[in-house]
Amino acid sequence: MAKAKTNTEDYLRMYRQMVRIRTFEDNANQLYLSAKMPGLTHMYSGEEAVAVGICEALTDDDRITSTHRGHGHCVAKGAEFKQMFCELLGKEEGYCRGKGGSMHIADQSHGNLGANAIVGGSMGIATGSALRSKLQGADDVTVCFFGDGATAQGLLYEVMNMAALWNLPVIYACENNGYSEYTKTEEIAAGSITARAEAFGIEAFKVDGQDVLAVNELTQKLVARCRKGEGPFFIELETYRYHGHHVGDINREYYRSKDEEKDWKENRDPIVRFRGWLVEQGIASEDEIEAMNTEIETDATEAVAYAEAANYPDVSEVDMHVYAD
Amino acid sequence: MREITLSQAVNEAIAEEMRRDETVFLLGEDVAEAGTPFKVLSGLVEEFGTARVIDTPIAEPGFVGLAVGAAMTGARPIVDLMFGDFLYLVMDQLCNQAAKQHYMSGGKLSVPMVLRTNLGATRRSAAQHSQSLQALVAHIPGLKVAMPSSAYEAKGLMKTAIRDNNPVVIFEDKLMYQDKAPVPEEEFLIPFGEANVKREGKDISLIATSSMVQVAEKAAEMLGQEGIGAEVIDPRTIVPLDEKTLIESVKKTSRAIVIDEGHQSYGVTSEIASRLNEKAFYHLDAPVLRMGAMDVPVPFSPALEDITVPTPEGVAENARKLCSGEMIHAA
Ligand SMILES: Cc1ncc(C[n+]2csc(CCOP(=O)(O)OP(=O)(O)O)c2C)c(N)n1
Ligand SMILES: [Mg+2]
């Protein structure tokens, strides 16, 4: 990490947001393991620098579309723990009144158009949001998050073509965590990922997704250029998921070695790296960082307890919201 | 007789047919080493190798298209579509391409492929992983649609599907993969278009598909204790549909409820109910009732999800009303 100390507050917020994601996920995993969470969920742990680096370069007016692995995007875009845990448990105070759950969590107030349980399903939505921005003369930008596996979906190529033709303010953010489900990316993706975008004349970048400053710096530049009508852009972020494909994917040595997992966790962890840098640069002391971690943990514990005690939606809500008024 | 799970039954059927016919091959996401997320296909890649058990990228329209082309030119592909909800992604390849080749070519081309997928809510998987979309494909001439209700049917219908010269879509119930049922060791096939009368009764016919067969059987059990004889019939394939058995049953009982986990409106239940009205009207003592899933996207919250699908209690309650005449003059 080679960035000079310029904005203490921004750095501390980035650190805080990364820890909030990790803490949220640890609690969500615990809820699953203790059989308190309905269904399954996909953990974002390990990929925090991607969501935070990108979302910290956006405002609440900028939109994002998220994926099945969406808690990180949601937190990074500004969501609150309470409503998030309520949604994960299917409670009425959740962001979607319990109707969406982990895979459909959305937070309008901060520009999160929602997670998506269809791989690649949000690519049209993100590009359409960018089209609206351009048509209405607005200057907001939309970031489309998706995984390496999602690059196999034909929809991506249809929408990138239109985005390039019409110079839409959209950034395609490919979170390459090396796997799609139980298969290594190299076994199911031919050729280079960035070259796919370049074929449409879209400028494409590859960045270390475990380096929050590198991600943030690049995104800031691209967002500014998008606002000037120079979009679209494509970023491939090299990252890693620490858990299995979902919380139930526990015995996974048949497709991914423990040594590989250990290497990423011990040598490339985005939070550990950034924390080291913050201390080294004198931006925060170890004590200050520990205090922040503790505060976040308390916050999460309280939010979980709140969500557990919260009410389910009334059954009369079942056929509400099928059609808009 | 030995008992095996529905998952093992599907696995055995595919393995047997792959041994019997070397043109049969499998393709889909995570079908090889992972054996699918539900582990239904575990072990097949070890026996048949990666040339016949092929892991694909997450490109559903692409690999379904490949299956259509391979089937038109001499292979018998089995496509694994991880969730029935992903049917929407492959509709053109399945409905415009696979379904119509035979007809459009005046009978010269055929598409002997199987698309195996699943249905069923109440797994807390929310609106895009819980749908039961059999009506969508049953609507398209040229596609056959099988809906196994236990391990026994899953095996026999899968083997028939693989040997059929048409595109066949098989819906398995996700919640039933670990359910055991007696399945003979010897080879057997279940012909398409033959309904199975699972339980005889004289007062009311409960016609149920796939996941709803168990619901109907439980309802019949409850009704039996009250002296109402419910006949439970599983059509096993909805295309082709064994009208004859259904009509005969209704002629005997004069009342019927049709139960299917797809949305009720414009659904499988509507189709079967209309046929009974058309062909057994003068034998009916009450309107034929439809019980499908509520016409809402499947909600995530357990508190809401559970009330969207028919239950044994709900079926029994409607059956009682039909039998007591309460519903004859219903508004
Ligand atoms: C259209 C579609 N096909 C398949 C799936 C099942 N599925 C869910 S996540 C996933 C892997 C996605 O991999 P990637 O895009 O790399 O995202 P990651 O899980 O690694 O974050 C698959 C195959 C799905 N949800 N939607
Ligand atoms: Mg991935």
Side-chain angles (χ1 to χ4, degrees), chain A residues 211-280:
Chain A
D211 180 347
V212 71
L213 290 181
V215 174
N216 184 253
E217 211 178 328
L218 174 64
T219 313
Q220 286 198 31
K221 278 190 202 138
L222 299 184
V223 168
R225 288 181 61 192
C226 269
R227 296 203 206 284
K228 286 192 288 180
E230 294 173 26
F233 297 103
F234 188 103
I235 314 177
E236 177 184 350
L237 303 113
E238 283 179 291
T239 184
Y240 200 74
R241 64 162 156 81
Y242 285 178
H243 292 259
H245 170 59
H246 55 65
V247 282
D249 173 24
I250 288 163
N251 299 318
R252 51 182 179 270
E253 271 178 280
Y254 72 93
Y255 74 86
R256 195 169 93 164
S257 75
K258 285 213 164 111
D259 282 346
E260 182 188 296
E261 294 185 2
K262 196 164 153 227
D263 181 44
W264 279 85
K265 287 180 190 171
E266 288 184 359
N267 302 317
R268 300 185 66 173
D269 184 81
I271 297 177
V272 172
R273 277 171 80 181
F274 193 50
R275 174 183 175 145
W277 184 83
L278 289 174
V279 174
E280 189 192 289

Side-chain angles (χ1 to χ4, degrees), chain B residues 96-225:
Chain B
N96 270 328
Q97 312 303 333
K100 297 177 173 46
Q101 294 300 333
H102 190 65
Y103 189 83
M104 293 192 301
S105 67
K108 296 207 171 86
L109 291 167
S110 58
V111 187
M113 65 178 269
V114 177
L115 188 144
R116 62 171 288 270
T117 190
N118 49 39
L119 58 67
T122 68
R123 286 179 75 246
R124 318 309 179 208
S125 307
Q128 296 172 341
H129 278 66
S130 308
Q131 297 166 89
S132 302
L133 299 178
Q134 52 275 20
L136 243 64
V137 287
H139 186 65
I140 306 304
L143 300 177
K144 295 189 178 179
V145 184
M147 301 187 61
S149 61
S150 81
Y152 175 75
E153 279 82 15
K155 181 163 184 189
L157 293 171
M158 177 60 79
K159 285 174 68 87
T160 304
I162 296 170
R163 294 186 200 183
D164 199 287
N165 287 329
N166 297 282
V168 178
V169 184
I170 297 197
F171 289 90
E172 293 155 11
D173 174 11
K174 295 184 281 268
L175 280 177
M176 234 188 257
Y177 280 126
Q178 296 314 316
D179 287 3
K180 287 190 171 182
V183 177
E185 274 190 86
E186 321 71 72
E187 177 168 67
F188 71 98
L189 281 83
I190 298 176
F192 283 4
E194 275 188 23
N196 182 23
V197 180
K198 303 216 51 149
R199 175 188 173 116
E200 296 203 13
K202 58 176 182 21
D203 298 317
I204 185 163
S205 305
L206 304 178
I207 299 163
T209 63
S210 177
S211 51
M212 294 294 108
V213 173
Q214 287 182 13
V215 169
E217 284 182 306
K218 282 185 196 142
E221 197 62 46
M222 292 157 65
L223 292 164
Q225 284 166 13

Side-chain angles (χ1 to χ4, degrees), chain A residues 147-149 175 177-180:
Chain A
D148 45 283
E175 306 179 299
N177 59 13
Y179 294 84
S180 70

Side-chain angles (χ1 to χ4, degrees), chain B residues 281-299:
Chain B
F281 182 77
Y282 296 106
H283 299 271
L284 290 170
D285 282 342
V288 177
L289 276 198
R290 297 168 300 151
M291 291 184 73
M294 208 179 260
D295 291 325
V296 302
V298 180

